[in-house]
Amino acid sequence: MPTLRLGDDAPDFTAETTEGTVNFHDWKGDSWAVLFSHPKDFTPVCTTELGRVAALKDEWDKRNVKVIGISVDTSESHEGWAQDIKDVTGSELNFPLISDPDKKVADLYDMIQPNASDTMTVRSVFIIGPDNKLKLSLTYPASTGRNFDEILRVIDSLQLTAKYKVATPVDWKDGEDVIITGAVSNEDAEAQFPGYTTVKPYLRTTPQPGK
Ligand code: BEZ
């Protein structure tokens, strides 16, 4: 299976999860989705990550994002671990966790990277758009917990740039000024973003549209 690249179709699959059998594309519908892998159940970094993703439920919902986790452990193991996640983080698992003991989904999404580990998945993150195309992928090693505030920040940028002809600058956060893309002429920029600022001819900024 070749590596998934941005703009590719996110492969469909059917898998067992903590919320029953899920067909990925049917489950996702026309929402945004975050598919993320964790290397192993009953491990410390993963426990903190899953609690955090659960605690962010309102943030996912606000953005019309469905989240789904995966590891090569079994559903039985996931269910046992859910209690630990609640004990440690105070958050109840509120999204499906895929069990992938035969590594079907892990292989489809290239989540097993043998020079890191040939038995566990790396920490992959895939953000998938309403059109089922891949919008972002990240790969972290097992030893580094991910920053889910960053995932939300990227989703804010992706959702904004899908709607307006803008891009978001370094360290941008929702509500801050954005960049008008080069595809927009100065004349159109004035019509669409009146009073925009020209920092350089190729760097034009404007308050975030739609705010
Ligand atoms: C962890 O979640 O802490 C972890 C999992 C697999 C390998 C190393 C760390």
Side-chain angles (χ1 to χ4, degrees):
M1 176 75 201
T3 308
L4 268 182
R5 293 184 173 160
L6 301 191
D8 288 355
D9 288 317
D12 196 16
F13 57 82
T14 299
E16 291 313 309
T17 80
T18 46
E19 298 184 7
T21 306
V22 162
N23 172 265
F24 183 55
H25 284 181
D26 289 347
W27 168 85
K28 178 187 165 299
D30 58 9
S31 301
W32 290 73
V34 173
L35 168 66
F36 68 102
S37 56
H38 66 267
K40 201 168 170 42
D41 291 3
F42 297 100
T43 51
V45 177
C46 296
T47 302
T48 61
E49 283 192 329
L50 271 80
R52 176 73 178 140
V53 173
L56 289 170
K57 180 173 176 22
D58 289 350
E59 298 299 323
W60 308 120
D61 289 350
K62 217 159 62 182
R63 294 165 175 81
N64 188 29
V65 176
K66 292 185 171 181
V67 290
I68 188 163
I70 174 174
S71 84
V72 298
D73 290 310
T74 61
S75 280
E76 207 179 16
S77 164
H78 288 345
E79 276 150 27
W81 185 36
Q83 184 58 50
D84 281 8
I85 293 169
K86 172 104 196 295
D87 292 347
V88 172
T89 68
S91 293
E92 197 102 44
L93 214 54
N94 51 21
F95 55 89
L97 256 191
I98 298 166
S99 62
D100 190 36
D102 57 6
K103 304 184 177 66
K104 205 175 70 182
V105 180
D107 284 342
L108 203 55
Y109 278 81
D110 203 23
M111 292 166 169
I112 303 268
Q113 304 199 356
N115 288 331
S117 165
D118 52 14
T119 53
M120 298 185 298
T121 57
V122 290
R123 295 188 196 280
S124 301
V125 182
F126 297 95
I127 300 179
I128 298 156
D131 57 0
N132 286 349
K133 305 276 187 205
L134 181 65
K135 306 296 182 189
L136 169 135
S137 66
L138 288 172
T139 306
Y140 277 53
S143 51
T144 303
R146 287 156 286 196
N147 182 333
F148 286 92
D149 289 327
E150 168 62 3
I151 308 299
L152 288 167
R153 191 191 73 87
V154 176
I155 291 168
D156 286 341
S157 172
L158 287 167
Q159 293 186 340
L160 182 73
T161 58
K163 201 162 165 197
Y164 301 98
K165 289 184 176 154
V166 298
T168 58
V170 61
D171 295 340
W172 172 87
K173 289 195 202 64
D174 187 43
E176 295 179 354
D177 287 0
V178 300
I179 293 168
I180 302 167
T181 66
V184 182
S185 68
N186 286 343
E187 194 183 359
D188 288 348
E190 194 48 57
Q192 289 171 37
F193 311 105
Y196 73 86
T197 303
T198 303
V199 182
K200 290 280 180 188
Y202 58 83
L203 173 50
R204 298 165 299 170
T205 62
T206 187
Q208 178 176 333
K211 273 281 167 190

